[in-house]
Amino acid sequence: MIKAYNQTWVENLHIQRRASEWKSKNLLTADQEEQVKALLPEKFYRPGIFVKIGLFFFAVIACSFFAGLLSLFVGDTGSDVSFSTASLICCACFLFYLEYLIRTKNLFHSGVDNALLYAAVVAAMVPVFLLFEHAPLWLYCVIALALVIPATLRYADLLGPIAIFGLVFTIVAELMMKFTAGKALLPFAVMILSGSIYVLARQSRDIYYKECRQILEVLSLATFYLGGNYLVVRELNAVINGLNLSVAPQIAFAPLFYFFTFVIPVAYVIFGLKNADRILLIVGLVAFAFSAYTYLNYFSPLSASQELVLAGTLLISAAIALIKYLKTPRGGISDEQDRRNSLANLQAIIAAQQLGVSPGEQGLEFGGGNFGGGGAGEVY
Amino acid sequence: MTTKSILNSLTGKGIISAQQADSIASFEGEKAFSVHGELRAILYVGILLFSSGAGVLIYENIDTIGHQAIIAAIALITAGCFYYTYKHSQPYTHGQADDPNKLVGYVLLLGCSTFLGLEGYLQFQYNLFGTRYGLAAIIPTALFFFCAYRFDHRGALSMAITGLASWLGLTIAPLSVLSANDFSDGKLIIPAIALGSVLTAVGWISEEQNVKKHFAFTYMLMGGNLACIAAQIELFNHSAKLLYFFIGIALCCFFVLRARRAQSLLFLLMGTVYGYCIVTYVIFTNLGADAALGLGIFYFLFSSVGVIYFLLNFKKFLGIKK
């Protein structure tokens, strides 16, 4: 029994989601959707995101004060050994509660279980730091990996793949930095490693790890791009070699990195559209924006504000042109609104933050995206 | 799990016929890849970049372009945006307008932000409003409220609310309530609590009366946060503690009870967290330092476990079915 959560329920949850998707396209009747829910049930406790945040927040408080309470009883917390013991006892208690709550309360990434898992992993890591003092960084990372990988396989927690990814890259970077040749080849190592992680992650077909796989995909695509990005390579090269210059010097293989900087985002976007892969498409778009920034950073004759206006104009016109062009679907791509705009509330908040009126200090100011439109503070 | 295996299990359970499974499979095979969200995001980023860039650009070149030219250009853009919005808008409804033309909302937002720019420019250059800053703040507020209701746009609504707050001298943008407001002299506290409560009440009323129900979230989030934070600051700083304790607790109770009917559980969280802070603060200030130190560890452990228990079973406590 390697998986902590009920595999059948996870699968049923996925089936229910697909069924409601088909229902919204009128491929299933409402009765059939109800039947799906009745015959393929799931009983997970899945509150809204905000209740999850609250649960997580209070679970963290409870865990830390539990640890504090325990350390009162263990006594003599000054020595490393007793502190480590207390920490391991905490870890065991957290794991016990984690399993207990998953069984009895049917938790499924509901905030409490996330917090308990993180607390358990941290508590398990504390003795490692106390007992192996002054060990090399990669050793800590290897031990952490030995804890995080089984935990991720069992709980499929979303922070798991992020931690694994970071640890693997830290180990590789740490080992490569020891050699001069390693430093020069670091970008290529990063690209190869990211590529292999991407390919490996794509192999996973298990629905239980779907979100973990997606996170790994996003991260590996991003690091693959950043490893080949001219700006990142040039600036990091200067930092790694301890050059304290105002302008980072030119790098070896510069044309190759220009090529990567341009081609990778374009390839992401094209393959994303072709294979209907939203992750590729979105990472590609963001990467493209960063490529544009890379270009402007080194070769632009324009000032920052001119670039902003230019970029804004280009984006607005490109988006409008594409929306008009895709009024009828073309080449397997459409502009159909297939889900409700769940971000409408968020957009409203961003508008208030970015465009809203704020009381000006001295009359009216222009600048930085905040139009001081009101100017009331002084008088009232 | 592929589409095929899902369909197989559905046919296996006898929920759908083999024919229906075939039609679903062929729909999935031919389904066009929608880039709707991505295009909207690009448009949104474009508007943010353009409006912030344009502001700085004008400011930098104020000497060379000529004021009339700049004002004419901004006015033209603003008028164009409002005209486009008006022309393509749906007739007013109390509900959420179903918007077939997906551009309108963004154009309206651009128009609103350039209108702010225009007004600011006129004031900066020609001192149009003199020292009547209140008038300068209330004009865009009124316009944005009108636009929000007429064209059914939450972004315009939140801009209107920030305008209203700035008329009182407050910053209400969600991330700046604490950082950008100077609550220390206490003069802003009463207006902040009053405005927050009024906004919350307006949100409540619009939900009860079924007038632009989907606006309630924006009203309550911005108003509720403002009122709760202001009440807490006053509770921590000033003497009339009992009054502000009751105001704060009343607001928190209101939010927790709101969660009964509101779809968003954000309010449940807001009520719980703010309420927890207030109660904890009151208990510890009344206990005195020694007792607080001894009890603290137990208090926090058991109270947070209690809150977790509440949140895990909130449906039962609040009598929500399902």
Side-chain angles (χ1 to χ4, degrees), chain A residues 70-365:
Chain A
L70 195 79
S71 64
L72 282 185
F73 291 118
V74 172
D76 183 30
T77 41
S79 82
D80 282 356
V81 176
S82 65
F83 198 77
S84 304
T85 323
S87 178
L88 286 177
I89 296 173
C90 274
C91 174
C93 294
F94 292 153
L95 280 179
F96 173 77
Y97 273 114
L98 175 61
E99 293 290 330
Y100 174 77
L101 285 176
I102 289 174
R103 292 279 149 71
T104 56
K105 291 277 173 197
N106 299 329
L107 300 185
F108 181 59
H109 303 312
S110 323
V112 182
D113 47 346
N114 303 64
L116 280 169
L117 178 64
Y118 304 153
V121 171
V122 170
M125 278 306 284
V126 166
V128 179
F129 283 110
L130 286 178
L131 300 178
F132 296 91
E133 268 178 276
H134 311 299
L137 181 62
W138 62 267
L139 186 65
Y140 290 125
C141 291
V142 169
I143 297 173
L145 269 184
L147 286 172
V148 174
I149 289 179
T152 308
L153 285 177
R154 180 160 173 75
Y155 299 100
D157 190 84
L158 300 186
L159 216 56
I162 298 175
I164 293 172
F165 198 81
L167 290 167
V168 169
F169 270 86
T170 316
I171 294 172
V172 170
E174 160 101 354
L175 293 180
M176 293 210 46
M177 294 277 269
K178 291 194 177 13
F179 313 102
T180 341
K183 277 184 193 171
L185 293 175
L186 194 59
F188 302 105
V190 167
M191 290 177 79
I192 292 170
L193 188 60
S194 320
S196 352
I197 292 178
Y198 184 74
V199 172
L200 277 179
R202 296 283 293 184
Q203 307 288 322
S204 151
R205 285 268 162 267
D206 196 338
I207 204 76
Y208 191 76
Y209 300 115
K210 185 174 164 229
E211 275 95 9
C212 292
R213 190 192 75 215
Q214 288 173 336
I215 287 175
L216 277 183
E217 277 180 34
V218 171
L219 290 175
S220 53
L221 287 173
T223 47
F224 183 77
Y225 167 72
L226 291 176
N229 178 280
Y230 178 72
L231 176 121
V232 172
V233 176
R234 180 163 164 175
E235 298 300 326
L236 280 187
N237 182 52
V239 172
I240 288 173
N241 290 312
L243 303 171
N244 207 0
L245 304 169
S246 58
V247 178
Q250 180 63 291
I251 44 171
F253 310 118
L256 183 63
F257 287 108
Y258 292 147
F259 175 76
F260 281 149
T261 308
F262 176 70
V263 165
I264 293 175
V266 173
Y268 282 3
V269 171
I270 289 174
F271 281 109
L273 288 175
K274 226 171 132 186
N275 303 336
D277 186 335
R278 204 168 293 282
I279 291 177
L280 256 178
L281 174 65
I282 292 174
V283 176
L285 288 174
V286 175
F288 191 81
F290 194 67
S291 288
Y293 173 74
T294 304
Y295 173 77
L296 292 175
N297 192 35
Y298 291 107
F299 305 106
S300 164
L302 302 170
S303 72
S305 56
Q306 288 168 330
E307 285 165 6
L308 279 178
V309 170
L310 187 68
T313 319
L314 282 179
L315 286 180
I316 295 173
S317 30
I320 292 177
L322 281 171
I323 289 169
K324 294 255 181 257
Y325 177 76
L326 289 173
K327 272 209 164 135
T328 52
R330 284 166 215 249
I333 300 166
S334 77
D335 185 34
E336 194 191 344
Q337 185 168 13
D338 53 1
R339 20 189 186 183
R340 231 184 76 252
N341 187 357
S342 53
L343 297 178
N345 279 328
L346 182 68
Q347 282 182 347
I349 300 306
I350 295 176
Q353 191 75 36
Q354 289 293 322
L355 305 173
V357 194
S358 55
E361 291 290 308
Q362 302 273 319
L364 296 147
E365 291 169 56

Side-chain angles (χ1 to χ4, degrees), chain A residues 358-365 372-379, chain B residues 133 169 171 179-182:
Chain A
S358 55
E361 291 290 308
Q362 302 273 319
L364 296 147
E365 291 169 56
E378 259 180 314
V379 178
Chain B
Y133 298 117
T171 304
S179 58
N181 281 324
D182 180 21

Side-chain angles (χ1 to χ4, degrees), chain B residues 76-134:
Chain B
L76 215 61
I77 295 176
T78 313
C81 288
F82 282 123
Y83 179 70
Y84 181 91
T85 315
Y86 175 70
K87 209 146 166 249
H88 291 83
S89 66
Q90 302 289 305
Y92 176 81
T93 62
H94 278 337
Q96 185 165 6
D98 184 27
D99 197 351
N101 182 340
K102 294 146 189 162
L103 266 177
V104 170
Y106 297 87
V107 175
L108 175 63
L109 210 54
L110 182 65
C112 287
S113 66
T114 51
F115 179 81
L116 274 186
L118 177 68
E119 199 203 19
Y121 198 91
L122 287 173
Q123 169 73 356
F124 179 79
Q125 191 56 38
Y126 299 110
N127 212 5
L128 186 67
F129 300 101
T131 49
R132 283 167 296 167
Y133 298 117

